Amino acid sequence: MRGDARYQARDGDSEYLRLSSHIPTNVQFIFQNGRSIQRIANSIGTHKEPRNALQQVESLTHETKLKIQETQSMIAKLGRLDGGNANEAKQRKQAQSKFSKDLEGAITAFEKGVEITLTKEKAKRNDSYDDYGNENTSLIDDDRRQQEQMLAQDVNIRTSYIREREQGIMHLESEMREVHELFVDVADIVQEAGKTLVNIEANMTVASDRTSDGVEQLTKASRHQKSARKKSLWLLLIVVIAAGVLAAIIVPSLKHHK
């Protein structure tokens, strides 16, 4: 039935194939974004740092978070397509477990790059606070009007810069909290898939044992049937021989009386 979450047959097979194709592509996309973020993070504080490094990491983080959500949903859905028999169910649970672990690895690499970015950006923010305080002191101590105006303008620029950086850091931290929640969900899928695999394998073992017992019983029954048939043939042969002996005795006796 199409409305059932565990639908099988052709629809289930085609959906399984679709998910099995898309999930690895998504995982690779997440890995690539993670590597891009790590490159940006490693460049922060060096001459290779992009002017908008934090904004680039924010954009990549948001994009990656959405892809993680999509992939986690696909993996969960794939686990509900059991294939209709024990062997197929086992193979699909194994595939779900593998995809989940691959996604865990991609998320871990991605989180590492973002954490490095946050650490470096917070350090730069703190340095900006220090510079802001020093320039305010200079502003108070300097009586020259022109320099006062230039310093005031510079302070405004730095204040705006600090505020923008602070907002970027807070937004990035918020995104990463959501990513971590998704990571926990994926870990739960791995654990659940493992439990299901154990149950499937246990059921398959029981079914195999029962099949072996059934074959053994059928073999015994077949042997018993052959033995009974052989006994019946021997009994029939004995009856025939006895009848022949009796006939050989009785027939001549009847002729003699006549």
Side-chain angles (χ1 to χ4, degrees):
M1 183 180 297
R2 186 179 293 270
D4 191 342
R6 300 177 64 83
Y7 63 90
Q8 303 163 7
R10 294 185 180 276
D11 287 340
D13 291 340
S14 62
E15 181 67 0
Y16 175 79
L17 293 174
R18 185 187 73 83
L19 294 173
S20 298
S21 174
H22 279 71
I23 291 171
T25 302
N26 283 9
V27 170
Q28 185 61 31
F29 178 89
I30 295 165
F31 264 120
Q32 289 174 350
N33 275 11
R35 286 192 289 267
S36 296
I37 290 174
Q38 287 196 24
R39 282 195 296 269
I40 296 172
N42 292 334
S43 74
I44 295 176
T46 71
H47 68 282
K48 295 182 179 181
E49 178 183 353
R51 292 186 59 184
N52 58 343
L54 182 58
Q55 288 79 4
Q56 287 187 30
V57 173
E58 280 187 83
S59 177
L60 285 168
T61 298
H62 181 70
E63 182 181 53
T64 306
K65 182 193 74 173
L66 296 178
K67 191 64 68 173
I68 292 172
Q69 287 175 332
E70 178 185 57
T71 309
Q72 186 267 345
S73 177
M74 285 182 173
I75 291 174
K77 185 175 183 180
L78 182 140
R80 296 193 292 269
L81 304 174
D82 62 10
N85 61 68
N87 283 324
E88 189 67 23
K90 179 181 177 180
Q91 291 175 6
R92 295 188 179 192
K93 278 298 175 184
Q94 288 173 333
Q96 184 193 33
S97 180
K98 179 185 181 302
F99 289 147
S100 299
K101 291 177 181 177
D102 290 345
L103 181 57
E104 279 185 320
I107 294 174
T108 299
F110 162 71
E111 286 182 320
K112 181 180 178 181
V114 178
E115 287 171 2
I116 294 173
T117 302
L118 284 169
T119 299
K120 290 188 174 183
E121 287 294 337
K122 287 177 180 179
K124 289 179 68 175
R125 175 199 60 188
N126 294 336
D127 291 342
S128 297
Y129 281 138
D130 293 339
D131 292 342
Y132 176 79
N134 292 334
E135 292 188 4
N136 269 331
T137 301
S138 299
L139 178 62
I140 294 171
D141 294 340
D142 198 329
D143 294 331
R144 288 178 299 180
R145 187 71 178 175
Q146 185 177 3
Q147 189 173 4
E148 180 180 308
Q149 291 175 349
M150 291 176 62
L151 287 174
Q153 184 179 6
D154 187 57
V155 167
N156 289 335
I157 292 173
R158 286 181 177 273
T159 301
S160 176
Y161 172 78
I162 292 172
R163 185 182 299 113
E164 181 180 341
R165 185 175 296 278
E166 186 69 31
Q167 290 175 348
I169 290 172
M170 290 175 62
H171 179 257
L172 198 54
E173 288 177 330
S174 176
E175 293 273 49
M176 290 310 297
R177 283 193 292 271
E178 293 183 36
V179 169
H180 184 69
E181 290 176 1
L182 291 170
F183 181 86
V184 172
D185 291 341
V186 174
D188 288 341
I189 291 176
V190 172
Q191 186 176 12
E192 186 62 30
K195 291 179 180 179
T196 304
L197 270 173
V198 170
N199 291 335
I200 291 173
E201 290 172 351
N203 291 336
M204 290 178 69
T205 300
V206 171
S208 177
D209 291 343
R210 289 177 178 175
T211 300
S212 299
D213 290 342
V215 170
E216 185 178 352
Q217 293 297 326
L218 287 173
T219 301
K220 289 181 179 179
S222 177
R223 289 174 181 171
H224 178 74
Q225 188 176 19
K226 288 179 181 179
S227 178
R229 187 183 298 115
K230 187 180 293 185
K231 289 179 180 178
S232 298
L233 290 174
W234 277 109
L235 180 61
L236 178 61
L237 180 60
I238 292 171
V239 170
V240 170
I241 292 173
V245 171
L246 289 174
I249 295 173
I250 295 174
V251 170
S253 175
L254 290 175
K255 288 181 178 181
H256 178 72
H257 285 295
K258 289 179 179 180

